[in-house]
Amino acid sequence: MDFCGIDILSVQQFERPDVERIFDVADSMEPFAQRKQVSKALDGAILGNMFFEPSTRTRVSFGCAFNMLGGHVRETAEIGTSSITKGESLYDSARVISGYSDIIVMRHPRAGSVAEFAAASRVPVISGGDGVNEHPSQALLDLYTIRKELESKRRSIDGMRIGMVGDLKHGRTVHSLSRLLKLYRGITFNLIAPQQLRMPGEIVAELREAGHEVRETENMAKGLHDNDTIYLTRIQEERFESRLEADIYRGRFRLNRAIYTRHCQPNTVIMHPLPRDTRAEANELDDDLNQHPNLAIFRQADNGVLVRMALFALVLDVAGEVQQQVHPTRWYTGRRFE
Ligand code: CP
């Protein structure tokens, strides 16, 4: 795939060599993300970081990734401060913002909205998540994390077993991650969800058609015991009709140290796209696992910067120049490496 100038809207636009190219470029971004070196490859470039739905990690890490390549960031952080609340269309917004930017990252609560925005944009658009549909950069950073974590345990993605837990109906991260894993060989999916929040049937059918094994259960203990990675998700309250409806499912599947020790194999990697819901009634991933060596959630969030730097470098066609305009950091960076 030629990445130059493309929109990134869905993981379904990638083949396996494209994913591996992104990961190779992401690996090369380590010195910048670790604040050992500064690159000026995107000096003068402007990112329009348009978030019309709440976000911490995706918005900030896309912005920092652009900064780490020397570019500038302009952003809308909530729908309430945007003229979309005055009735402006996505078409008009895209036409206008693309006149001010070299590339745009966009998140919106409606499925299909980012593609609609991209069709009107005059610069490349990267999805930051569109409703229940997809979250492609999250899936890339999740898979990048899985690869690193499994390599450290001398395993590979091909043949891996993954347990996905929670709200698999509304969770766009598990939709995108499943479709990326489809590109690999012999994956076993243990899907652990209430009947009403199961993975969409068309995704399950795609996985089976591609030759992967898919097991579905509502029994958490049964689903946990045979995995290399467990991927937990939050009940996506914002996608339900009401908070009361979400409450029916909240807290139903929880992982804590005791459950992990009892039901998971000793080397199982623990992942979560974050935010995790730490309220007592939910608490799907207990903080008594915070110091556990197999808890990868913060390494996963850190990897987001590497993958997002790679996407900018490839789409804006500077991957070959990132290492050429480099100087060491001049400020204190000590605690990062402790
Ligand atoms: N994982 C993720 O999308 O987090 P944010 O909603 O904080 O961006």
Side-chain angles (χ1 to χ4, degrees):
M1 166 187 280
D2 181 3
F3 284 91
C4 178
I6 66 166
D7 300 317
I8 304 226
L9 304 174
S10 166
V11 295
Q12 298 193 83
Q13 67 197 86
F14 300 127
E15 299 295 338
R16 182 166 169 168
D18 306 320
V19 174
E20 285 167 7
R21 170 85 176 119
I22 294 168
F23 291 175
D24 286 346
V25 178
D27 286 342
S28 75
M29 298 298 177
E30 278 279 2
F32 310 106
Q34 287 289 329
R35 313 308 283 141
K36 291 178 180 160
Q37 293 182 337
V38 176
S39 173
K40 287 284 172 200
L42 289 180
D43 188 20
I46 297 174
L47 165 67
N49 212 20
M50 300 289 114
F51 277 69
F52 301 118
E53 190 182 53
S55 170
T56 297
R57 272 144 296 275
T58 312
R59 181 174 61 83
V60 177
S61 66
F62 263 122
C64 289
F66 208 76
N67 290 149
M68 285 177 194
L69 291 171
H72 307 284
V73 181
R74 291 282 175 271
E75 63 185 11
T76 290
E78 43 173 319
I79 205 159
T81 59
S82 152
S83 283
I84 282 189
T85 56
K86 301 175 194 166
E88 185 167 55
S89 66
L90 287 178
Y91 179 89
D92 287 1
S93 300
R95 293 288 297 177
V96 171
I97 300 301
S98 60
Y100 304 158
S101 320
D102 297 287
I103 190 165
I104 295 171
V105 174
M106 201 268 216
R107 171 179 284 189
H108 192 281
R110 180 165 58 76
S113 54
V114 185
E116 186 184 327
F117 184 94
S121 171
R122 293 170 281 169
V123 299
V125 174
I126 301 179
S127 172
D130 62 326
V132 298
N133 185 32
E134 278 227 36
H135 195 343
S137 68
Q138 178 72 45
L140 287 164
L141 78 87
D142 288 341
L143 190 60
Y144 183 73
T145 303
I146 290 170
R147 186 183 75 156
K148 275 191 167 178
E149 297 289 325
L150 293 187
E151 274 176 5
S152 75
K153 299 176 189 335
R154 298 183 187 284
R155 297 186 216 158
S156 67
I157 298 172
D158 288 316
M160 73 169 287
R161 300 153 302 163
I162 184 166
M164 294 180 169
V165 187
D167 184 354
L168 307 184
K169 176 182 176 187
H170 301 111
R172 59 193 173 200
T173 69
V174 285
H175 301 167
S176 291
L177 178 57
S178 299
R179 284 179 157 142
L180 262 194
L181 283 167
K182 195 175 75 176
L183 301 175
Y184 289 74
R185 288 189 297 275
I187 312 289
T188 300
F189 293 83
N190 289 303
L191 305 180
I192 307 164
Q195 183 69 16
Q196 297 80 355
L197 302 183
R198 289 170 58 192
M199 181 73 83
E202 82 250 24
I203 298 180
V204 172
E206 282 173 31
L207 297 175
R208 288 191 172 133
E209 208 168 294
H212 302 295
E213 181 167 357
V214 182
R215 306 169 184 156
E216 295 186 88
T217 182
E218 293 190 72
N219 181 327
M220 178 128 175
K222 186 174 161 202
L224 282 183
H225 85 276
D226 186 26
N227 298 289
D228 301 290
T229 299
I230 291 288
Y231 189 103
L232 296 128
T233 63
R234 180 177 60 87
I235 297 297
Q236 309 279 301
E237 181 182 322
E238 63 276 28
R239 313 283 178 222
F240 287 79
E241 293 289 320
S242 69
R243 189 187 161 132
L244 278 180
E245 199 193 330
D247 281 344
I248 297 169
Y249 307 104
R250 214 188 302 278
R252 188 150 159 207
F253 296 130
R254 298 168 188 248
L255 190 70
N256 58 28
R257 190 172 271 267
I259 294 170
Y260 179 82
T261 307
R262 182 154 180 218
H263 296 295
C264 295
Q265 294 179 18
N267 260 336
T268 307
V269 178
I270 307 165
M271 295 178 61
H272 190 304
L274 303 178
R276 55 178 157 168
D277 187 345
T278 57
R279 290 172 289 191
E281 65 273 25
N283 203 24
E284 70 267 3
L285 177 56
D286 199 293
D287 60 14
D288 71 356
L289 282 160
N290 278 0
Q291 305 308 320
H292 198 290
N294 290 335
L295 185 82
I297 58 174
F298 300 116
R299 295 189 287 277
Q300 189 181 350
D302 285 351
N303 287 335
V305 173
L306 300 173
V307 167
R308 288 168 176 141
M309 289 176 84
L311 293 177
F312 287 135
L314 287 163
V315 172
L316 293 176
D317 205 18
V318 293
E321 286 158 46
V322 171
Q323 313 291 338
Q324 288 168 18
Q325 303 179 45
V326 166
H327 65 76
T329 44
R330 300 191 185 95
W331 54 87
Y332 172 75
T333 56
R335 284 187 56 182
R336 175 176 291 270
F337 308 113
E338 282 170 3

